[in-house]
Each structure stands twice: as structure tokens, then as C-alpha cells.
Amino acid sequence: MNYYERMKGKYNALKDKENVIILAIESSCDETSIAVVKNGREVLSNVIATQIEIHRRFGGVVPEVASRNHITAISSVYDEALSQAGITNKDVDAVAVTYGAGLIGALLVGVNFAKALAYSLDIPLIAVSHVYGHISANFISHPALKPPFVCLMVSGGHSALLRVDDYNKSSLLGTTIDDAVGEAFDKVARVLSLPYPGGPEIDKLAKDGKPTYHFTVSNALKNTLNFSFSGIKTEVVNLVHNLSQKGEQINGGDIACSFQEVVTDELSNKAIKACKMCELKKLVVAGGVGANSRLREKLGQMCKDNNIEFFSPVLKFCTDNGAMIGSRAYYMMKDGLGLANLDLTAKANVSL
Ligand code: KG4
Ligand code: ZN
């Protein structure tokens, strides 16, 4: 029997196993992360080797540099993940890996490592979508959280509202028609000469500013749950260029604050609107921009005002990590989904 045929039976048997240990690998962008997760919610270890300092000097992630650094880091991250979890690879029931979306070269490092590991240990390989991994970060932070809920998914690659009916059943309510919100944060930060990644820098700088500038988001999408962030990004970039051409002083704090206020208003208003439309009383935020302090504050307050329960991952699980992939893989396994063969490959884009 070949590997995949053998794994079908093993995968099915995991559904009824009392304790399932998944080793999960994430390498879609600039963090090499491997986690060991028990029963989808208990993180035994979550090791992250970040490349932020390496890419900072280029002002953003350089894909080829990211791939090479994943290769350098992955073996020691793996050893460390097992050691911190206090287990050996013989205790692992399945290997999970992000196969997309992300940088192809970077993803391939994780995918190939995962395939070799699963094959050598003769255990199932689970292919996980990065975006759905982000949602699962909430299951780790909130042990009692269960679907159904509305999810505001905000990262460097996505801005979307999803109706999550069950662990493996969701539908798209709205999405960005142009830039992802994290992309807009990063570009605004760049024009303000802030280091990469820009989101946390804008978050910090905005605390010293006032919303004195009047930036706007597209009115055309007012009655939808879709987003557009390229217009506001261009407004900020043009303003900064105009001011510097005139030799006028640029108040970075006020610009960051004004930008962040408009963007977080737009995200929060539409998230609440989505809950009302779906008649759901739970809202979950996911993805790197979910770490934004003003967004969390607004969502928390608006949910309170509207009698909606609000959930957000603890900060370390907002940005990319292996643990969220392990959680997601566990719930896929429970429904018999995601079992991959050794021809699994990486995908730059995965539809929501
Ligand atoms: O989820 P993530 O780590 O990677 C992707 O899947 O894209 O998200 C990264 C994005 C970056 O654009 C980063 O600037 C943004 O999340 N980000 C933030 C904050 N922390 C990270 N944006 C706003 N405020 C933050 N505190
Ligand atoms: Zn991510």
C-alpha cells in the first residue's frame, strides 16, 4: 500500500483518539514557526524564528531572502519545538503545514520539510490554509469559543468578513476590492519613514497624535460589506509628498492617528453591521492587524454597546505562528478534511 492509502486509515482513526498531538509548520512569509498542539487548543510549544530584522534594511520582505532564511532556521526550530513540548517525534500523531497563501519559495520550505517528516514518521500530513489558521488562533486563546460567529479577518494579505457557521464551514460576506488593510498600514508607515513592519509602528506613533487630517474611504462601498483601502493610502502618500515638496513639517503622529482612526472605524462599523445582518452575537477578529490596539479597543466597545461578545487572540497569536495552524489542522482532521499526499505543493493564493 502506498503512503497516501496507508494514511487514510490512520487519519480516520485519529478522530476517535483521546489525545491528538499535531506538529504544525508555518513558513508563508518571514517567520519560521513550528508548534506542537494537543487536541486543537493546548499549545505545548510554539517556536518562532522571525526574520524581521533581516528584512528591515530592505523596507519589506524580500522573497528570496525569506526562503533562504527559512532553510537555515527550520531544523533548529523543529528541534526546539519538540524539546519545549517535552516530547519526541514518536509522540506526534500528524504533521500540519501551511501550503498557502503566501510567498511560494517560503512556503515550499515548510511544505517540503513537512512532507519528509510525515513520510519518515509514517504519519498523516495535513494541508492548512494560512487564512483559516488565523481564525483558529482564537480557539487557542478562548477555550470555550465555538462557531457560529462572524470573523473580521485582517492581515497583510487579506481584509475580509466571514460568516463562520462551523469549524469547517464558512462563507464570505465581504472582502477588499484592492489593498489588504495590512498592506495600507505598511505603505503609510513607509512614506512616514517608519521601519518594517509598519502596522505596529503606526499603532505606536498614533498614540502621540491627534486626528487632525481628514482622510476618507470610498463612499461607493457604503452599503456593502466590502472594503477599499488603496484610496486612503494614496491620500496619505500624496499629502506627505506635498508637504515635503513645500518644505513643511510633517507631523507623523497626527497623520498616523488620522489614518488609523478612519481605517479602524471602517473595519469596526462593517464588522458590527455583519453581525447584525447575520443575526450573530459573537465577533472574532483574526490576523496581524487584529493586534492593532485602536481596532481592538473600538471593536470591544462597539460589541459591548450592541450586546455582542467580542473575541481576539492574545497578541502573540495574532501575527504568524505555527500554533494556529495546529489548531486549524485538528478541526480539519475531526471532519476528515485536509489529508495531503506527497505531491502536495505550495500555492501563492488560496481562495477564502
Ligand atoms: O497576519 P500577518 O502576521 O501576516 C499575513 O498573513 O499577512 O499580518 C501582518 C500584517 C502586516 O501588514 C503588519 O504591519 C500588520 O499585520 N500588523 C499591524 C499590527 N501588528 C501587525 N497592523 C496594525 N497594527 C498593529 N499593531
Ligand atoms: Zn498571516
Side-chain angles (χ1 to χ4, degrees), residues 152-293:
L152 174 66
M153 170 72 222
V154 276
S155 70
H158 290 90
S159 311
L161 278 160
L162 293 144
R163 179 191 170 115
V164 180
D165 286 303
D166 209 337
Y167 289 103
N168 292 300
K169 187 168 174 267
S170 61
S171 50
L172 192 60
L173 300 167
T175 186
T176 178
I177 60 162
D178 41 55
D179 289 359
V181 64
E183 223 177 318
F185 266 95
D186 291 342
K187 285 191 184 144
V188 165
R190 200 166 170 161
V191 80
L192 292 175
S193 307
L194 299 169
Y196 169 83
E201 300 293 329
I202 297 272
D203 196 345
K204 254 188 271 164
L205 191 63
K207 292 194 198 318
D208 303 325
K210 292 190 187 70
T212 50
Y213 294 96
H214 294 285
F215 301 128
T216 49
V217 284
S218 167
N219 220 14
L221 301 174
K222 203 171 76 190
N223 297 322
T224 73
L225 292 175
N226 289 329
F227 300 107
S228 165
F229 296 112
S230 88
I232 186 166
K233 174 199 73 189
T234 309
E235 271 185 68
V236 179
V237 171
N238 288 345
L239 173 79
V240 174
H241 286 162
N242 284 340
L243 289 175
S244 60
Q245 270 164 9
K246 286 191 221 152
E248 287 179 27
Q249 213 193 330
I250 294 163
N251 186 326
D254 287 355
I255 292 176
C257 177
S258 308
F259 164 78
Q260 185 176 267
E261 282 306 308
V262 175
V263 167
T264 53
D265 270 348
E266 173 74 354
L267 293 170
S268 327
N269 287 333
K270 288 197 170 161
I272 299 294
K273 191 170 161 183
C275 290
K276 289 184 179 167
M277 272 174 59
C278 296
E279 297 182 351
L280 286 170
K281 289 282 179 194
K282 275 189 237 172
L283 175 68
V284 158
V285 70
V289 183
N292 184 269
S293 61

Side-chain angles (χ1 to χ4, degrees), residues 39-43 136-147 167 282 311-314 317 327 331:
N39 296 336
R41 304 242 180 187
E42 196 184 332
V43 180
S136 297
N138 282 282
F139 298 136
I140 296 166
S141 300
H142 305 284
L145 174 67
K146 287 192 180 105
Y167 289 103
K282 275 189 237 172
F311 300 88
S312 56
V314 294
F317 294 127
S327 175
Y331 289 103

Side-chain angles (χ1 to χ4, degrees), residues 121-147:
L121 295 173
D122 204 39
I123 56 175
L125 174 67
I126 311 168
V128 177
S129 150
H130 182 80
V131 190
Y132 287 102
H134 271 301
I135 300 174
S136 297
N138 282 282
F139 298 136
I140 296 166
S141 300
H142 305 284
L145 174 67
K146 287 192 180 105

Side-chain angles (χ1 to χ4, degrees), residues 26 28 130 134 153 155-156 287-288 318-320 324:
E26 156 62 41
S28 65
H130 182 80
H134 271 301
M153 170 72 222
S155 70
C318 270
T319 43
D320 294 347
M324 66 186 197

